[in-house]
């Protein structure tokens, strides 16, 4: 039977994969020869919002569609399974970069992307809220296929049920095979207990601000300090993202100028002996980062400064963890990885330093 599309693209985080997602893929299989499932928020550390890795989410999807029948392509050649799952990292401050990478991975997954006739590709999904804006930002994939939500299923509710200890409620909204894979992910590591504790702490933290007349907005400062191809990072000792690498920084103290606060937090968390006057004189750039979801505790706007000490023939200044940082270390820029960086700090570093590999 001739399909309406060569391929339909379904973008999402799938944290976790549930019956609403399955309904979209089932509809896509009716309309297209193949379905490209683009798994967003890949290549980043676990958090209460994104507890599952790309590999774990792919396993949840493959558990349902891994045996999806192959199909005959040009000249009768047998192509790969009809449902393909590919990862894409987030680009919270650059929609163009995210669109470009999504287009790239989709083209790489298409069975006939390099044929003489361009394949007919479209988007499919459910316009649930503002997070579905991506359905309208691909100029070559206009007029997406809309699929109604199934039973008002929401991945956020499933995650909350899991962290509240109600796995039975989560099971009701997920395919059996996917739920089994998710349970296996829990058993195979100690990370779930760590996130369970973080979920509790974040919940208590938010409750402490519940009676505020307005939703609070916090201000922080962060330092991107570099020298000779290295960047100074700290390892977090507390929630959230405990144990992840981060930029030295912290909340803006009452009575402090923002720049002075950045210097204070940098010196407290890294014990760097470079004088404050030298640090201030080495500031090369300053930017504000304000993604609404950059901190799970609440709306937090940070002022980040790039300090380049620029002493290529001198040793890196000695550092050690201080305050709430359990460790401080100079890391080669080429070794900075999004999978190990807290918050949006990987993207903050990348915004100042565009010449290293991710």
């Amino acid at each position: 039977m001739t399909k309406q599309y060569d391929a339909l693209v379904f973008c999402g985080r799938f944290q976790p994969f549930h019956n609403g997602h399955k309904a979209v893929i089932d509809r896509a299989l009716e309309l297209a020869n193949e379905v490209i499932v683009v798994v967003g928020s890949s290549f980043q550390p676990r958090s209460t919002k994104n507890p599952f890795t790309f590999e774990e989410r792919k396993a949840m999807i493959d558990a349902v569609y891994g045996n999806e029948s192959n199909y005959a392509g040009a000249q009768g050649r047998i192509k790969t399974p009809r449902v393909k799952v590919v990862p894409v990292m987030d680009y919270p401050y650059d929609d163009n970069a995210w669109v470009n990478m999504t287009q790239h991975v989709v083209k790489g997954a298409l069975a006939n992307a390099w044929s003489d006739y361009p394949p007919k590709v479209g988007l499919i999904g459910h316009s649930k809220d503002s997070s579905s804006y991506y359905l309208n930002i691909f100029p070559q994939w206009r007029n997406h296929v809309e699929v109604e939500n199934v039973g008002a299923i929401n991945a956020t509710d499933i995650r909350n049920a899991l962290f509240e200890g109600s796995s039975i409620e989560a099971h009701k909204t997920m395919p059996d095979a996917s739920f089994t894979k998710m349970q296996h992910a829990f058993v195979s590591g100690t990370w779930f207990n760590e996130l369970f504790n973080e979920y509790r702490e974040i919940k208590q933290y938010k409750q402490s601000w519940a009676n505020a007349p307005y939703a609070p907005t916090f201000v922080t400062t962060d330092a991107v300090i570099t020298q000779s191809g290295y960047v100074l990072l700290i390892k977090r000792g507390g929630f959230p993202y405990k144990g992840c690498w981060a930029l030295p920084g912290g909340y803006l103290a009452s009575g402090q100028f923002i720049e002075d606060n950045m210097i204070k937090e940098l010196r407290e968390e890294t014990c760097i002996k470079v004088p404050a006057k030298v640090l201030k004189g080495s500031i090369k750039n300053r930017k504000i980062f304000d993604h609404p979801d950059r901190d799970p505790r609440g709306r937090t706007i940070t002022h980040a400064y790039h300090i380049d000490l620029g002493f290529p023939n001198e040793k890196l200044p000695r550092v050690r963890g201080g305050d709430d940082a359990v460790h401080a270390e100079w890391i080669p820029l080429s070794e900075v990885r999004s999978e190990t960086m807290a918050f949006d700090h990987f993207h903050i570093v990348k915004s100042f330093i565009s010449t290293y590999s991710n």
Side-chain angles (χ1 to χ4, degrees), residues 4-25:
Q4 186 175 343
Y5 294 89
D6 292 305
L8 281 171
V9 178
F10 181 27
C11 300
R13 289 191 302 119
F14 310 103
Q15 292 277 13
F17 181 76
H18 55 63
N19 288 330
H21 299 138
K22 182 178 182 298
V24 175
I25 296 179

Side-chain angles (χ1 to χ4, degrees), residues 111-226:
N112 60 340
W114 308 103
S115 65
D116 293 335
Y117 299 96
K120 184 177 181 182
V121 181
L123 280 174
I124 189 168
H126 169 61
S127 303
K128 61 176 183 177
D129 52 34
S130 60
S131 66
S132 303
Y133 75 101
Y134 72 89
L135 291 169
N136 299 311
I137 63 175
F138 289 91
Q140 78 279 39
W141 300 335
R142 294 291 188 190
N143 301 320
H144 73 272
V145 178
E146 177 71 19
V147 180
E148 291 298 319
N149 193 6
V150 175
I153 299 175
N154 187 299
T156 300
D157 293 338
I158 297 175
R159 293 194 301 275
N160 289 342
L162 292 171
F163 289 124
E164 294 288 348
S166 303
S167 60
I168 294 177
E169 292 301 315
H171 193 182
K172 293 178 181 178
T173 61
M174 297 178 62
D176 289 342
S178 299
F179 184 78
T180 299
K181 288 293 183 181
M182 185 180 71
Q183 283 187 312
H184 176 73
F186 289 160
V187 173
S188 63
T190 60
W191 59 268
F192 182 75
N193 288 334
E194 295 174 359
L195 286 188
F196 176 84
N197 293 330
E198 183 166 303
Y199 174 85
R200 294 293 190 192
E201 292 191 69
I202 291 175
K203 185 176 181 179
Q204 292 173 3
Y205 186 87
K206 290 183 175 181
Q207 287 175 343
S208 68
W209 291 93
N211 295 325
Y214 301 99
T217 297
F218 305 99
V219 178
T220 59
T221 59
D222 288 299
V224 180
I225 179 168
T226 57

Side-chain angles (χ1 to χ4, degrees), residues 339-357:
E339 296 94 326
T340 62
M341 291 285 283
F343 308 107
D344 56 351
H345 288 189
F346 172 81
H347 299 282
I348 292 177
V349 174
K350 191 173 182 180
S351 73
F352 289 117
I353 313 296
S354 59
T355 57
Y356 68 89
S357 170

Side-chain angles (χ1 to χ4, degrees), residues 31-153:
L31 300 174
N33 287 325
E34 57 183 333
V35 182
I36 313 298
V37 181
V38 178
V39 178
S41 299
S42 296
F43 314 117
Q44 63 184 47
R46 297 186 194 272
S47 66
T48 53
K49 184 177 180 179
N50 293 295
F52 303 106
T53 65
F54 164 73
E55 290 77 13
E56 289 163 350
R57 287 173 284 167
K58 183 177 186 300
M60 294 181 208
I61 300 170
D62 286 344
V64 178
Y65 297 102
N67 295 322
E68 183 65 32
S69 61
N70 296 329
Y71 65 99
Q75 290 81 49
R77 290 193 296 269
I78 299 300
K79 301 297 182 180
T80 53
R82 295 177 63 199
V83 178
K84 301 174 183 177
V85 184
V86 294
V88 168
M89 73 180 298
D90 289 341
Y91 294 85
Y93 301 103
D94 192 345
D95 282 345
N96 286 328
W98 183 81
V99 168
N100 176 66
M101 186 54 64
T102 301
Q103 292 169 335
H104 176 74
V105 298
V106 167
K107 187 172 184 179
L110 286 171
N112 60 340
W114 308 103
S115 65
D116 293 335
Y117 299 96
K120 184 177 181 182
V121 181
L123 280 174
I124 189 168
H126 169 61
S127 303
K128 61 176 183 177
D129 52 34
S130 60
S131 66
S132 303
Y133 75 101
Y134 72 89
L135 291 169
N136 299 311
I137 63 175
F138 289 91
Q140 78 279 39
W141 300 335
R142 294 291 188 190
N143 301 320
H144 73 272
V145 178
E146 177 71 19
V147 180
E148 291 298 319
N149 193 6
V150 175
I153 299 175

